Amino acid sequence: MDLSLVLPTSSSPSRHLIFYTFKPNPFRVQSLKVPRTSLRCRFRLSAATEVEEAVSSGKPSVFGLPKELTAPQKIVDTLPPPARLASYVVFTGAALAAGFGLGFRFGGSQAAGIGGAAVLGVAAGAAVYGINSSVPEVAALNLHNLVTGYDDPTELKKEDVEAIVEKYGVSRQDEAFREELRDLYSRFVSSVIPPGAENLKGNEVETIIKFKNALGIDDPDAASVHMEIGRHIFRQRLETGDREGDVEQRRAFQKLVYVSTLVFGEASKFLLPWKRIFKVTDAQVDIAIRDNAQRLFAVKLNSVGRDIGETQLIDARSSQLLYRLSDEIAADMFREHTRKLAEENISAAVDLLKSRMQAGRTSQVVEEIEKVLALNDLLSRLSKHPESSRFVPGVGPISLLGGEFDTDRKIDDLKLLFRAYAAECFPNGRLEEQKLVALNQLKNIFGLGNREADAILLDITVKVYRKRLSQAVSSGDLEAASSKAAFLQNLCEELHFDPQKASEIHEEIYRQKLQQSVADGELSEEEVSSLLRIRVLLCIPQETVDAAHADICGRLFEKVVKDAIESGVDGYDADIRASVRKASQGLRLTKEAAIAIASKAVRKVFLNYVQRSRGAGNRIEAAKELKKMIAFNTLVVTELISDIKGEPITAEPIEVEIKPTEEEDEWESLQTLRKSRPNKDLEAKLGKGGQTEINLKDDLSERDRTDLYRTYLLFCLSGEVTVVPFGAQITTKKDNSEYLLLNQLGGILGLTGKEIVEVHRNLAEQAFIKQAEVILADGQLTKSKIDQLNEVQKQVGLPAEYAQKVIKNITTTKMAAAIETAVSQGRIGIQQVRELKEASVDLDSMISERLRENLFKKTVEEIFSSGTGLFDEEEVYVKIPADLNIDAEKAKGVVQDIAKHRLSNSLVQAVSLLRQRNRDGVVASLNDLLACDAAVASEPLSWSSPEELADLYCVYLKSIPKREKLDRLQYLMGINDSTAAILRDTAERGALPIGNEEEEIVF
């Protein structure tokens, strides 16, 4: 089958089917099988066609016309079951008697009579059987005529059908009677379900169930009828060639599936094998149920108006359950229905708002919005009802999200409506509490964000606040109020207005008034008084007033200052000065504010000079740009500051400090620093100095400012270079006037006295270091070199203390390199280190820790290879590490590691020397072994030849050692006391086997 039978048609709003496997009950399906002949001949599937013809021709009944009984059927119909049985007996008996008589008469014998009786008896029995088999057909005809006689088939009663069954004594399983039941049920179902694309009315299921129960037809038979109707629809769809007819039959099949499922309830899962017969999945069935349930529920909701009541909601809930519609879909449909009700009013309000003739229609707009708010309030109250669980799902506040107005273009219309309603919420210049609540509800209904709604409400509230504030000022109520602040606060509370926003409005009013007052470039006394009155009435803080003046008056003053600065060094004349003085005094700016405005403009010019100086090709050009900046500061900026202050100032030369400190007195030997503090004669010659209030301290880092100062200082030292023909260069020396400009540059750069001193000191120190490194190239400091260094010190003006530090650093660096080389080459030992320390030489900085550790190892190895046998723990573990400034614990570990390693080596060496007959070497090696044992106590040593160990003991014994050393050697050699005593006795008698170097050693 084509699955499009149950797919949503174009008339349904975009419903999609989901297909999944359906497993019908095989036993139940088998019981529903009907023979083809029965389906073709007796079931009369043409019933549906006949019903349609009857309906189209205006016949009174969907079941056709009443049927006439034949003569035998009339006889059967007139006889009740007992009389019919009696008549069967009488008729059969009469036939037997007649047959016996005829047979006996014509045959002449009793056998012939019995034969005749048998013949007529069989014939009578056949006749009786035929008459009796027509009883179900008679019952079926009477049932048909009974149902046809009802104008409304739903009025059929089960008792009437049972009466026919009892009257004729038939069973519902009799084929003729059963087929009539199925035919009547088929005709009725086909007539109840609307044809084509017509929607269900909602009472179909209840009507079919009632009629089915009245007929008493079994569920399996009724289910087979539904399936046959489905086959009929399928065949009609195949016969239909156009698309429209196909869509209608598809919708009809969906309605059949929906109605059939509701009629049989849970039993429909095994009574209606849609999947097996029509290849329809459970998902498709569910979607067919859902789509038709939605259509029915939508029809039900159309009866729900704006006056929603509890009864309507309960009734809608019952219909939802009857239609088998899920709570989620029902909730969405109910919310959509209430949203459409609200959209009707909103659309009407928008049309009224946008109409050309708006006069008198604002009230109508408000009325439409009030209807929306009333509906929303009603739904909100119903959602909190104690019996809300009995209501249809989805009862709650209205939201336009997902509806007609949920678009970017429509949201602008909602904003216009919100603004129009909000404007009408201030009828008497006040915002009542209930109006504020209504505005919040309307904001939620329209789906406006807090920021959007607050902006609209703020805009309207600001206008109302300004209007009421203007009325209060013009009427004198605000001026007459004892507390202006309390009056304004009360006004904000009436309008539910943020006091901070009100303060911003006050500031804006003050600024507008100030802007109007300074239009002519100055403030008169009358204007100042008017501004003061506004400030008092509106409770504007002084900080706000100062900021407004600094902003508005400052812009005007800034323009005057920029014009003065742009006039340049040559253009700052009396007219410019007069305009500056007029602006400074006429705009009523404080001196601090005026200086701050001028500082901003002046520092921009200073930074331009600095930028050009940095971009110069060489140091001379960079210094020239800095010199132009100094001239600009002296001739323009200084005069500008004087005019702003309103009185001439006498600029004094910029000094490092007015009262030099002791630290600065120490650097008075620096010639460059002394020159930057010229005497009074030079000051008089060069004129007055420049201002220092405006500087670049906050615009440039300390490093950048000191670099600029150093650049000009080097220029003062080297002078200006002039290029003459043929490429020659002539250096023009500068007099002390350049140092006065250098002093002024320090003020412009915002350098402190300490920072200036540091620049001069670094420069002098660098000059001294360069020459001192040349003089002390070999690291030797002689008397002649000291004289040369003193001369250089005087030339650069570096104090003696710092000169000595430089000299010490140079000599120390040279000496450190030489000492480190000597240590690496082994030319310096612990004794030389101690001598250097006594000479106050800082070895820690000259010799690295790694070299000091190597020197310690070398010293320990020398002790263990000296041949003396001496080991002084205090010397090795304490004094030497202290002299070399190394870790004592780490040094002790190094000593023990060396001792363990050399202990066995000393034994091997002693045996080797014994074999070479070197007695002195043997004694020295054994002493080294004893020294290692003193550092790390050892167990008795093992050797492959004990005789050699005895010989070593004899050789050492002959050297006449100390007793404790001899005893320790005996222990290490593993010689027992008796053998040692024998060897000592032999030595006392002078009979040792080893007499001299030429004696033969017995092994």
Side-chain angles (χ1 to χ4, degrees), residues 536-824:
V536 173
L537 290 177
L538 301 181
C539 300
I540 302 176
Q542 183 63 41
E543 297 80 6
T544 304
V545 172
D546 294 340
H549 279 264
D551 183 21
I552 297 174
C553 299
R555 286 198 298 267
L556 297 176
F557 184 71
E558 183 180 7
K559 184 177 182 303
V560 175
V561 170
K562 286 183 177 179
D563 292 341
I565 292 174
E566 290 173 358
S567 64
V569 176
D570 299 329
Y572 197 81
D573 52 14
D575 295 336
I576 297 295
R577 297 189 65 180
S579 64
V580 172
R581 289 175 178 268
K582 177 183 177 182
S584 176
Q585 297 173 5
L587 293 175
R588 308 299 175 101
L589 288 171
T590 62
K591 293 181 180 180
E592 292 77 9
I595 292 294
I597 295 171
S599 174
K600 183 178 179 181
V602 169
R603 284 186 285 110
K604 287 183 179 179
V605 179
F606 283 167
L607 290 175
N608 289 334
Y609 281 114
V610 170
Q611 186 175 1
R612 289 199 295 268
S613 175
R614 289 174 175 174
N618 52 60
R619 188 174 62 199
I620 303 300
E621 296 298 328
K624 289 182 178 180
E625 293 297 332
L626 294 177
K627 191 172 183 179
K628 293 178 182 178
M629 181 175 67
I630 297 169
F632 172 76
N633 178 67
T634 303
L635 301 177
V636 177
V637 181
T638 303
E639 297 296 336
L640 178 65
I641 297 300
S642 176
D643 295 334
I644 291 175
K645 292 182 178 180
E647 55 184 10
I649 60 171
T650 303
E652 298 181 356
I654 310 301
E655 298 184 3
V656 177
E657 289 289 342
I658 297 177
K659 295 182 179 180
T661 60
E662 295 180 359
E663 181 183 358
E664 295 170 0
D665 289 339
E666 176 185 356
W667 297 97
E668 284 299 322
S669 59
L670 293 173
Q671 294 183 9
T672 56
L673 186 59
R674 288 200 307 270
K675 291 178 181 179
S676 65
R677 297 174 181 173
N679 53 32
K680 295 182 179 180
D681 296 338
L682 184 58
E683 290 180 7
K685 180 179 179 182
L686 296 177
K688 59 184 179 180
Q691 61 82 35
T692 58
E693 293 183 47
I694 302 176
N695 55 61
L696 298 175
K697 182 176 182 179
D698 298 329
D699 299 280
L700 298 175
S701 64
E702 180 182 349
R703 180 177 179 179
D704 293 339
R705 291 183 286 120
T706 53
D707 288 345
L708 292 171
Y709 187 87
R710 183 182 294 106
T711 299
Y712 200 80
L713 175 57
L714 293 174
F715 172 75
C716 295
L717 292 173
S718 61
E720 185 175 354
V721 177
T722 304
V723 180
V724 297
F726 304 105
Q729 295 182 349
I730 300 175
T731 301
T732 305
K733 293 293 181 180
K734 295 293 182 180
D735 54 16
N736 291 342
S737 61
E738 293 294 343
Y739 289 96
L740 177 60
L741 299 180
L742 176 66
N743 191 18
Q744 295 181 9
L745 177 62
I748 296 172
L749 296 175
L751 293 173
T752 62
K754 185 178 180 180
E755 292 170 345
I756 292 176
V757 168
E758 187 65 21
V759 174
H760 286 269
R761 185 193 68 78
N762 287 337
L763 195 61
E765 187 173 340
Q766 290 175 7
F768 182 77
I769 288 174
K770 288 182 180 180
Q771 299 189 43
E773 286 178 346
V774 175
I775 296 172
L776 299 174
D778 56 356
Q780 302 295 326
L781 186 61
T782 61
K783 185 177 182 304
S784 60
K785 292 182 179 180
I786 292 175
D787 294 339
Q788 294 180 19
L789 292 172
N790 291 336
E791 184 64 25
V792 174
Q793 173 198 344
K794 292 178 181 179
Q795 291 178 1
V796 298
L798 190 66
E801 178 183 355
Y802 288 88
Q804 291 300 321
K805 288 182 179 179
V806 172
I807 295 171
K808 184 177 180 181
N809 289 336
I810 295 174
T811 55
T812 300
T813 303
K814 300 290 184 181
M815 187 182 299
I819 291 175
E820 190 165 349
T821 303
V823 171
S824 301

Side-chain angles (χ1 to χ4, degrees), residues 121 138 173 229 368 475 499 793 833 863 906:
V138 174
Q173 299 303 320
I229 295 175
E368 295 294 337
S475 63
Q793 173 198 344
V833 169
I863 293 174
S906 298

Side-chain angles (χ1 to χ4, degrees), residues 420-437:
Y421 185 77
E424 297 298 322
C425 290
F426 299 86
N428 300 321
R430 300 187 181 189
L431 180 61
E432 302 296 338
E433 189 67 31
Q434 62 270 20
K435 290 294 184 180
L436 185 62
V437 174

Side-chain angles (χ1 to χ4, degrees), residues 200-238:
L200 296 172
K201 298 179 176 60
N203 61 343
E204 290 84 359
V205 175
E206 182 181 0
T207 302
I208 292 174
I209 292 175
K210 182 179 179 181
F211 185 76
K212 181 172 75 72
N213 293 334
L215 281 179
I217 188 173
D218 295 337
D219 283 349
D221 290 340
S224 65
V225 170
H226 284 261
M227 299 304 295
E228 290 300 329
I229 295 175
R231 288 191 181 95
H232 176 68
I233 295 174
F234 177 64
R235 284 195 296 269
Q236 283 186 334
R237 178 178 176 274
L238 294 178

Side-chain angles (χ1 to χ4, degrees), residues 520-537:
D520 57 352
E522 59 180 348
L523 288 174
S524 63
E525 292 295 334
E526 182 180 353
E527 291 170 338
V528 170
S529 300
S530 177
L531 290 172
L532 178 60
R533 177 176 175 270
I534 294 176
R535 175 196 165 192
V536 173
L537 290 177

Side-chain angles (χ1 to χ4, degrees), residues 838-972:
E838 291 177 358
S840 301
V841 177
D842 187 9
L843 293 178
D844 295 343
S845 60
M846 296 183 180
I847 305 176
S848 65
E849 183 178 2
R850 181 181 59 81
L851 287 177
R852 282 184 272 124
E853 291 177 353
N854 292 337
L855 180 59
F856 177 76
K857 292 180 182 179
K858 182 178 180 182
T859 303
V860 172
E861 289 176 351
E862 290 177 354
I863 293 174
F864 288 150
S865 62
S866 62
T868 60
L870 300 177
F871 182 78
D872 187 353
E873 291 187 0
E874 183 179 0
E875 174 73 12
V876 178
Y877 290 151
V878 179
K879 292 183 179 180
I880 297 178
D883 292 335
L884 295 176
N885 194 20
I886 60 177
D887 185 18
E889 292 297 327
K890 185 177 180 180
K892 186 175 182 180
V894 171
V895 172
Q896 293 176 354
D897 291 340
I898 296 175
K900 290 177 183 179
H901 179 70
R902 291 194 62 84
L903 187 67
S904 58
N905 290 344
S906 298
L907 177 60
V908 174
Q909 186 176 8
V911 173
S912 176
L913 292 173
L914 176 67
R915 294 173 180 176
Q916 298 174 18
R917 300 181 181 182
N918 187 349
R919 189 180 69 179
D920 293 339
V922 171
V923 173
S925 297
L926 292 176
N927 281 331
D928 293 341
L929 186 146
L930 292 172
C932 294
D933 179 69
V936 181
S938 175
E939 298 294 329
L941 302 173
S942 61
W943 191 253
S944 60
S945 176
E947 291 81 3
E948 287 184 334
L949 297 179
D951 291 341
L952 291 176
Y953 182 79
C954 292
V955 173
Y956 194 74
L957 177 63
K958 195 172 182 181
S959 66
I960 313 175
K962 293 182 180 180
R963 182 56 184 265
E964 58 272 14
K965 288 187 176 182
L966 187 62
D967 293 341
R968 187 61 183 172
L969 182 63
Q970 173 191 341
Y971 171 78
L972 293 175

Side-chain angles (χ1 to χ4, degrees), residues 296 410 414 430 433 824 975:
L296 290 175
K410 293 289 186 177
L414 296 179
R430 300 187 181 189
E433 189 67 31
S824 301
I975 301 173

